[in-house]
């Protein structure tokens, strides 16, 4: 087990500096354009693939970093560049985590490479969990998967929403109900391979922020996938459902569903994204306060501005520490006995909203215009308190974990 540390080693620092250079030289110059276009920045993803950032190998190296700091470090630097473009680069990772969390070794080896493609032909993947009537309330999920034993196929019907890369993805990972009587414990995850008939893109959403990231509905109309596309396999699913039925008869709980397993694994990474956006806004505000003069002196000489910057930096560092702690715990198999993953996302996402708002205030009228990036950063920051579990859901998870109540 790696010891928890707040100091990156030389190799990690080298990777951090490399990512920071890409974010500064490639992502930032393109950020305003793709925010206005509200389209997937394929050329930037292509550049990321060419240098090795958008690849299975890179994310695997960071994911299996024994200190746990590889992924949060990478997320912070890329989202420091721009949240919308960065999400387009890393959005495939949520689907990959879904396969890593629930799939067999064969499924991992077969499908994750197809999610990324290669430098000459980049692909993306989508994780499809939320539905029009089932966001935070995963027990209300209606997308249904029925097993056709004669053909060894699963037939999936339903509508997914808020899917990053939904409809444009090469591979879709879909969470569906296989046993309605078990509620959220009767869910399973499925791979929908490229070109599968019956899967189509529904509405593409025009969003407040992260506009360079494609978000859309995914329609599943009698989608048939082979039995081998059930993540984890049918034997494992049958065993899990049998345990859930037995616990239900005994009045028990505590059986995790497929979507929750994915979200638990990814929440510290989302916290790191928020830290990156917050840090970017803070740095803009700090530089502005040092160079903007009013009444014959830099505005940072005013205590009201200086104290805001002091609070911003303190909150950012505290958020990073919570993210790093949760990431270290996860990679070293330490259970989140106090919902440390949710704590990290909650604090970091709320910090991003607060810090970006303060940055606009420090820049005054300039901060409210698109001539300065803090306006975009503030719009982008709103998503962190919403996706992969709202702040209210994080508080619910933390409270129920502390009290011993079941998390459904």
């Amino acid at each position: 087990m790696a010891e928890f540390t707040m100091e990156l080693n030389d190799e990690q620092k080298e990777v951090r500096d490399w990512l920071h250079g890409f974010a500064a030289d490639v992502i930032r110059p393109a950020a305003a354009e793709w925010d206005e276009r509200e389209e997937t920045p394929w050329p930037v993803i292509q550049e990321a693939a060419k240098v090795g950032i958008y690849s299975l190998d890179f994310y695997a190296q960071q994911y299996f970093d024994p200190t746990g700091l590889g992924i949060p470090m990478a997320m912070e630097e890329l989202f420091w560049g721009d949240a919308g473009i960065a999400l387009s680069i890393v959005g495939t990772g949520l689907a990959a985590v879904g396969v890593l969390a629930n799939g067999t070794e064969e499924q991992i080896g077969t499908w994750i490479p197809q999610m990324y493609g290669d430098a000459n032909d980049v692909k993306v993947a989508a994780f499809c969990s939320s539905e029009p009537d089932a966001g935070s309330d995963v027990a209300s999920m209606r997308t249904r998967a029925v097993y056709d034993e004669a053909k060894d196929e699963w037939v999936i019907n339903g509508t997914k929403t808020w899917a990053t890369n939904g409809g444009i993805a090469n591979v879709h990972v879909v969470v569906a109900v296989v046993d309605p009587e078990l509620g959220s414990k009767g869910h399973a995850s499925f791979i929908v391979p490229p070109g599968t008939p019956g899967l189509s893109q529904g509405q593409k959403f025009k969003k407040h922020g992260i506009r360079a990231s494609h978000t859309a509905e995914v329609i599943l109309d009698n989608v048939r996938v082979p039995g081998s596309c059930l993540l984890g396999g049918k034997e494992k699913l049958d065993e899990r459902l049998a345990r859930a039925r037995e616990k239900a008869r005994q009045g028990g709980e505590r059986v995790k569903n497929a979507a929750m397993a994915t979200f638990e694994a990814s929440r510290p990474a989302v916290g790191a994204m928020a830290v990156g956006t917050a840090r970017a806004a803070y740095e803009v505000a700090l530089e502005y306060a040092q160079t903007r003069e009013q009444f014959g002196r830099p505005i940072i000489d005013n205590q009201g501005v200086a104290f805001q910057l002091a609070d911003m930096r303190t909150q950012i560092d505290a958020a990073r520490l919570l993210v790093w702690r949760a990431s270290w715990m996860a990679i070293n198999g330490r259970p989140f006995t106090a919902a440390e993953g949710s704590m990290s996302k909650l604090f970091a996402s709320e910090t991003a909203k607060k810090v970006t708002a303060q940055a606009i205030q420090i820049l005054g009228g300039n901060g409210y215009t698109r001539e300065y990036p803090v306006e975009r950063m503030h719009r982008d920051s709103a998503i962190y308190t919403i996706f992969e579990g709202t702040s209210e859901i994080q508080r619910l998870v933390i409270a129920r974990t502390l009290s011993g109540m079941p998390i459904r």
Side-chain angles (χ1 to χ4, degrees):
M1 178 185 297
E3 291 186 1
F4 179 70
T5 176
M6 294 182 289
E7 181 70 27
L8 299 177
N9 60 40
D10 290 342
E11 183 178 349
Q12 290 168 328
K13 289 178 182 177
E14 185 177 340
V15 173
R16 178 199 61 191
D17 293 344
W18 171 54
L19 290 169
H20 187 81
F22 183 85
D25 298 338
V26 180
I27 294 178
R28 280 205 168 177
E33 175 189 352
W34 291 99
D35 177 70
E36 291 289 341
R37 291 175 64 166
E38 299 191 50
E39 297 174 358
T40 301
W42 290 107
V44 183
I45 300 175
Q46 186 95 37
E47 287 301 310
K50 286 179 181 178
V51 300
I53 292 174
Y54 186 76
S55 70
L56 172 61
D57 288 344
F58 172 73
Y59 287 106
Q61 289 173 10
Q62 305 314 310
Y63 186 83
F64 292 110
D65 180 339
T67 70
L69 302 185
I71 288 294
M73 175 195 64
M75 296 300 105
E76 179 176 338
E77 294 304 327
L78 293 173
F79 281 74
W80 172 90
D82 176 68
I85 291 177
L87 191 56
S88 290
I89 294 173
V90 308
T92 293
L94 184 58
V97 168
V99 176
L100 285 169
N102 301 297
T104 64
E105 290 187 9
E106 182 179 355
Q107 289 169 331
I108 291 169
T110 299
W111 295 111
I112 292 184
Q114 295 186 50
M115 293 179 174
Y116 289 95
D118 57 46
N120 297 316
D121 184 22
V122 294
K123 306 292 185 183
V124 295
F127 182 75
C128 307
S129 177
S130 294
E131 298 183 3
D133 296 318
S136 299
D137 182 11
V138 294
S140 296
M141 190 177 293
R142 296 180 180 177
T143 296
R144 186 76 191 276
V146 178
Y147 185 55
D148 183 343
E149 190 170 359
K151 296 184 177 181
D152 186 26
E153 292 179 339
W154 288 89
V155 184
I156 308 174
N157 283 282
T159 299
K160 295 296 182 178
T161 193
W162 310 123
T164 299
N165 298 328
I168 66 171
N170 193 47
V171 176
H172 291 76
V173 178
V174 175
V175 182
V177 178
V178 294
D179 189 332
E181 294 182 359
L182 291 175
S184 63
K185 295 180 285 295
H187 296 175
S189 292
F190 299 86
I191 292 287
V192 180
T196 300
L199 185 147
S200 61
Q201 179 183 308
Q203 175 187 5
K204 177 186 174 182
F205 296 103
K206 295 180 74 66
K207 305 187 298 297
H208 176 65
I210 54 167
R211 295 178 178 178
S213 174
H214 176 96
T215 310
E217 291 181 330
V218 174
I219 312 299
L220 301 119
D221 183 12
N222 286 322
V223 170
R224 285 183 168 266
V225 300
S228 59
C229 287
L230 167 64
L231 289 180
K234 194 165 188 307
E235 182 178 349
K236 183 178 178 181
L237 172 65
D238 289 342
E239 291 175 355
R240 178 167 63 81
L241 294 178
R243 290 196 304 271
R245 294 187 190 105
E246 180 62 26
K247 283 186 176 291
R249 282 193 293 269
Q250 296 174 357
E253 288 281 356
R254 292 290 188 185
V255 180
K256 293 180 182 177
N257 62 69
M260 286 296 292
T262 300
F263 290 142
E264 282 186 8
S266 62
R267 276 171 180 159
V270 176
M273 298 173 188
V275 171
T277 300
R279 190 184 109 211
Y282 159 77
E283 290 177 2
V284 173
L286 176 62
E287 181 181 5
Y288 186 88
Q290 290 170 326
T291 57
R292 171 70 167 173
E293 290 192 1
Q294 290 287 277
F295 306 105
R297 61 179 183 176
I299 63 172
I300 198 171
D301 286 352
N302 297 312
Q303 192 177 77
V305 173
F307 279 15
Q308 283 194 76
L309 289 163
D311 287 344
M312 292 159 75
R313 176 60 186 267
T314 300
Q315 290 158 1
I316 290 167
D317 282 11
R320 183 184 297 110
L321 287 173
L322 284 171
V323 167
W324 283 16
R325 179 184 70 168
S327 301
W328 173 81
M329 291 176 69
I331 198 67
N332 286 287
R334 294 288 187 91
F336 289 162
T337 56
E340 287 87 351
S342 289
M343 282 185 182
S344 69
K345 181 188 181 294
L346 170 64
F347 190 82
S349 59
E350 294 290 344
T351 293
K353 283 186 66 175
K354 185 183 300 183
V355 166
T356 53
Q358 288 175 303
I360 289 178
Q361 193 68 25
I362 289 171
L363 269 68
N366 286 328
Y368 198 66
T369 71
R370 295 190 183 182
E371 295 299 313
Y372 287 79
V374 292
E375 177 271 341
R376 184 180 67 252
M377 294 169 184
H378 184 52
R379 286 189 285 107
D380 290 342
S381 70
I383 194 60
Y384 301 128
T385 62
I386 298 172
F387 70 176
E388 295 197 50
T390 64
S391 288
E392 292 74 22
I393 288 298
Q394 305 309 319
R395 292 184 175 100
L396 182 66
V397 170
I398 295 166
R400 288 188 170 180
T401 301
L402 296 177
S403 68
M405 293 175 64
I407 301 173
R408 295 185 292 272

